[in-house]
C-alpha cells in the first residue's frame, strides 16, 4: 500500500485530476495537485513527493519541458500520463528521464501497478530489502543469476550468446520499466550503435528460447515503436 507516500498529480483537466486523486487516496497514497507546469515545479521543490504523475498537455508549458527541467535537479520517479499516441513522444519522454508512460484512457489496476513498480525501483534499485546488491531475478519459471551469468527456465539452463545474455540481463535488471531501443543499443553495443536491426534479431532469438509462444510473449513485452519491458511479479 501507499502509506505515507506522496504522489504529485500534474493534470489540468479537473475531472481527470479528481478521478486520479480518488484512486490514489483509496490506496492510501497522499496526493498533491498541480494544474500548471510552474506550479508543479514549485510543489515538487517544496514537498519532494515520492512520485509524479505528469500530463504532457499543460496550459503554460509542454510536459516534456517540465520533465527536462525537473531532471536537472531531481530523480523523483515520473510516470507520464497522456492522451498523446505518437510513439516519438513516448520515446522522447523516456529518454528525457521518465520512468514510465501510460496512455489515456487507462485502467486503475494498471495505473496502481505502474506506480508500485516505479516506487519500488526508486527505493530498491538493484538491491534487496537488506540493501544488498541484487544477484537473482525471478519471474515465474524464468530466473536470471547475475553472478553466474546464467539464465534458467523451469530449472533448465538456457544457452544464450553473449549478446543475448547481455540483453536479457539488462532487461531483468530494470524489470517493470520500459527500455527504449536507443537505450538498449547504447548499453549493449556502445555509443555508436545507430540501427536496431541487430536488436530485433537478437530479441527474436531470445524469445524463441524462453517463450512458449514467441508471438504472445509472457516474459518480455514489446512496447511498439518504443522498446521492450521485462515483466516482473506483482508485490504488495
Amino acid at each position: 500500500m501507499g502509506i505515507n507516500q506522496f504522489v504529485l498529480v500534474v493534470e489540468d483537466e479537473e475531472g481527470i485530476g479528481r478521478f486520479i486523486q480518488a484512486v490514489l487516496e483509496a490506496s492510501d497514497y497522499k496526493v498533491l495537485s498541480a494544474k500548471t507546469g510552474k506550479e508543479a515545479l514549485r510543489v515538487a521543490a517544496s514537498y519532494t513527493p515520492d512520485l509524479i504523475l505528469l500530463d504532457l498537455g499543460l496550459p503554460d508549458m509542454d510536459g516534456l519541458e517540465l520533465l527536462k527541467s525537473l531532471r536537472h535537479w531531481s530523480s523523483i520517479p515520473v510516470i507520464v500520463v497522456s492522451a498523446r499516441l505518437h510513439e516519438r513522444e513516448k520515446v522522447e519522454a523516456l529518454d528525457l528521464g521518465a520512468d514510465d508512460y501510460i496512455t489515456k484512457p487507462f485502467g486503475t489496476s494498471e495505473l496502481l501497478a505502474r506506480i508500485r513498480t516505479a516506487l519500488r525501483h526508486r527505493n530498491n534499485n538493484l538491491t534487496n530489502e537488506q540493501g544488498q546488491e541484487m544477484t537473482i531475478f525471478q519471474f515465474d519459471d524464468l530466473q536470471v543469476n547475475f553472478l553466474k551469468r546464467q539464465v534458467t527456465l523451469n530449472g533448465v539452463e538456457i544457452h544464450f550468446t553473449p549478446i543475448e545474455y547481455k540483453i536479457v540481463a539488462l532487461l531483468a535488471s530494470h524489470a517493470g520499466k520500459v527500455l527504449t531501443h536507443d537505450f538498449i543499443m547504447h548499453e549493449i553495443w556502445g555509443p555508436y550503435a545507430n540501427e536496431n536491426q541487430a536488436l530485433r534479431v537478437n530479441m527474436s532469438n531470445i524469445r524463441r528460447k524462453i517463450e512458449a509462444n514467441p508471438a504472445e510473449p509472457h516474459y518480455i513485452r514489446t512496447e511498439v515503436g518504443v522498446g521492450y519491458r521485462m515483466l516482473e511479479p506483482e508485490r504488495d
Side-chain angles (χ1 to χ4, degrees), residues 137 142-144 146 150-151 160 162-174 184 188 202-203 206-207 210 220 230:
F137 167 79
L142 181 71
Q143 183 183 94
V144 181
F146 298 102
Q150 181 184 70
V151 180
F160 286 125
I163 291 293
E164 289 168 359
Y165 171 77
K166 286 181 181 180
I167 294 171
V168 172
L170 180 67
L171 289 165
S173 68
H174 294 82
I184 297 172
I188 302 300
N202 278 278
M203 187 58 67
I206 289 167
R207 282 180 166 152
I210 68 172
I220 301 175
M230 175 76 79

Side-chain angles (χ1 to χ4, degrees), residues 125-158:
N125 188 28
L126 293 183
T127 62
N128 62 19
E129 292 180 359
Q130 289 72 43
Q132 300 168 327
E133 185 179 359
M134 188 175 82
T135 58
I136 291 178
F137 167 79
Q138 179 86 41
F139 176 43
D140 289 351
D141 297 320
L142 181 71
Q143 183 183 94
V144 181
N145 188 312
F146 298 102
L147 291 181
K148 294 182 178 179
R149 295 178 60 85
Q150 181 184 70
V151 180
T152 58
L153 185 65
N154 292 309
V156 178
E157 183 176 359
I158 304 298

Side-chain angles (χ1 to χ4, degrees), residues 78-99:
V78 175
I79 298 177
V80 170
V81 182
S82 178
R84 299 182 187 177
L85 300 176
H86 296 298
E87 292 164 356
R88 176 185 57 79
E89 290 176 319
K90 294 181 182 181
V91 171
E92 187 175 359
L94 293 166
D95 283 342
L96 284 173
D99 293 78

